[in-house]
Amino acid sequence: MEWSDIRIFLAIAREGTLGAAARKVGQTQPTIGRRLRTLEAALGNKLFQRTTGGFTLTDEGAALLPRAERMEEEALAIQRQISGQADHLEGVLRITSIDWFGGYVLSPVLTEFTRLHPSVIIELRTDQRFLSLSRREADLAFRIGPFDEPDVVSRKLLQLRYGAYIRKGSKHPKAGDGAGATLMALDATFAGTPDDTWLQKMLPNARTTFRSNSRSVQAKMCAEGAGVAILPCDIGDTLAGVERLRLGDEPPKRDVWIGYHRDLGRLARLRALLDLTLARLAG
């Protein structure tokens, strides 16, 4: 049994289709199918039930899954330990953050870092999902809120300020009312966030006409007159065509945390970026 075939098994179990699993591991779909058949032949059992909706685990596949995940944990631990001992500033460094934070806050730091260390390749993945540091989906992560993954070293980086913004020159709604005003909010995935709740409280009679998981989209539409949006001040205060509403209290602040797996604590390129980020952004 090859570890690489177990990796294929895990990808199919998590993604549900051969095509998605192939994209996950960077191989072709026919190769993924062939490797799965090889593994099933070696084990003498079918691991998946092929259905119109995708691949579901058989009883034998479900029994294999937790053991395969433990194999993966050990393989990744070896990789992290070896990578974490690298003391030269070159190679790839994978970073993850939400989209607007990467574009408005991190980009100046990353630009400076690439000038200082041109042999390090930065890969920034902006994603609303939490990528796993244990599985090396990312080396360094920026999140709104603390980390709960085991073996992650983290600290609070800075505090974000938010504001309510409207297209410059538009009629400002009255605090405590909001009748006639339109609002933009986060989508259902992020419903109930402190800033969204605050906006509904301050303008209870306004209508919500647009939802999105992208602050950048909300900012652009706010500048085009689509309605009132809660934006991080890093966006709103620098965006042409909008102005801040004064509704009395300010929206709640949010904390940004930075974290990495403890096995990578000695990785020189990670330490260099971490030190620069803390020097430029820590508050």
Side-chain angles (χ1 to χ4, degrees):
M1 203 187 328
E2 297 284 344
W3 155 242
S4 57
D5 291 334
I6 296 295
R7 183 167 170 258
I8 297 298
F9 163 77
L10 287 171
I12 298 172
R14 289 164 179 162
E15 301 299 323
T17 67
L18 292 182
R23 290 189 294 273
K24 184 74 173 179
V25 301
Q27 296 187 17
T28 65
Q29 184 170 330
T31 299
I32 293 291
R34 185 173 61 254
R35 299 279 293 276
L36 174 60
R37 290 192 296 272
T38 299
L39 178 61
E40 289 179 328
L43 295 174
N45 284 288
K46 289 291 184 182
L47 301 177
F48 293 97
Q49 180 71 37
R50 282 73 165 172
T51 70
T52 56
F55 280 52
T56 59
L57 288 167
T58 62
D59 289 345
E60 292 78 10
L64 174 62
L65 182 61
R67 297 179 183 275
E69 289 176 332
R70 287 198 292 273
M71 290 177 67
E72 179 187 49
E73 289 172 5
E74 289 301 318
L76 291 171
I78 293 171
Q79 183 182 4
R80 288 194 305 267
Q81 184 173 10
I82 294 174
S83 297
Q85 295 173 351
D87 59 359
H88 50 281
L89 286 174
E90 63 180 29
V92 177
L93 194 59
R94 292 178 291 272
I95 305 169
T96 179
S97 80
I98 52 178
D99 64 341
W100 74 264
F101 189 83
Y104 285 87
V105 180
L106 283 183
S107 57
V109 178
L110 300 181
T111 299
E112 182 179 359
F113 183 85
T114 56
R115 283 198 294 260
L116 292 171
H117 307 291
S119 295
V120 178
I121 301 172
I122 297 290
E123 290 184 358
L124 174 61
R125 182 171 180 181
T126 55
D127 203 314
Q128 300 292 352
R129 296 178 300 115
F130 285 171
L131 301 184
S132 173
L133 296 172
S134 298
R135 292 180 185 156
R136 290 297 303 274
E137 292 178 341
D139 301 318
L140 189 66
F142 297 83
R143 294 180 184 170
I144 297 180
F147 290 74
D148 58 6
E149 291 181 73
D151 298 322
V152 169
V153 179
S154 65
R155 59 160 288 175
K156 189 187 299 183
L157 177 63
L158 55 85
Q159 193 171 65
L160 295 174
R161 293 172 51 248
Y162 290 81
Y165 294 86
I166 195 170
R167 184 178 183 179
K168 189 172 292 184
S170 300
K171 181 181 178 181
H172 287 210
K174 182 180 178 181
D177 182 6
T182 57
L183 308 180
M184 289 182 284
L186 295 172
D187 66 11
T189 307
F190 299 94
T193 56
D195 45 287
D196 256 12
T197 302
W198 176 89
L199 184 59
Q200 296 289 339
K201 176 183 176 182
M202 300 305 294
L203 301 174
N205 296 319
R207 294 183 303 111
T208 298
T209 59
F210 179 76
R211 296 184 183 276
S212 171
N213 66 351
S214 171
R215 298 283 191 183
S216 299
V217 171
Q218 288 186 347
K220 182 172 177 58
M221 292 183 63
C222 181
E224 293 171 348
V228 178
I230 293 289
L231 301 173
C233 293
D234 293 282
I235 298 178
D237 289 352
T238 61
L239 182 63
V242 303
E243 56 191 13
R244 196 186 306 192
L245 292 177
R246 303 300 176 182
L247 299 175
D249 295 337
E250 291 190 352
K253 299 179 175 66
R254 305 286 299 278
D255 293 328
V256 175
W257 290 67
I258 185 172
Y260 59 92
H261 197 281
R262 63 178 178 84
D263 289 348
L264 297 183
R266 294 171 58 191
L267 185 63
R269 57 186 180 273
L270 185 144
R271 296 301 316 179
L273 179 57
L274 183 63
D275 291 344
L276 181 64
T277 301
L278 294 177
R280 297 293 180 265
L281 299 180

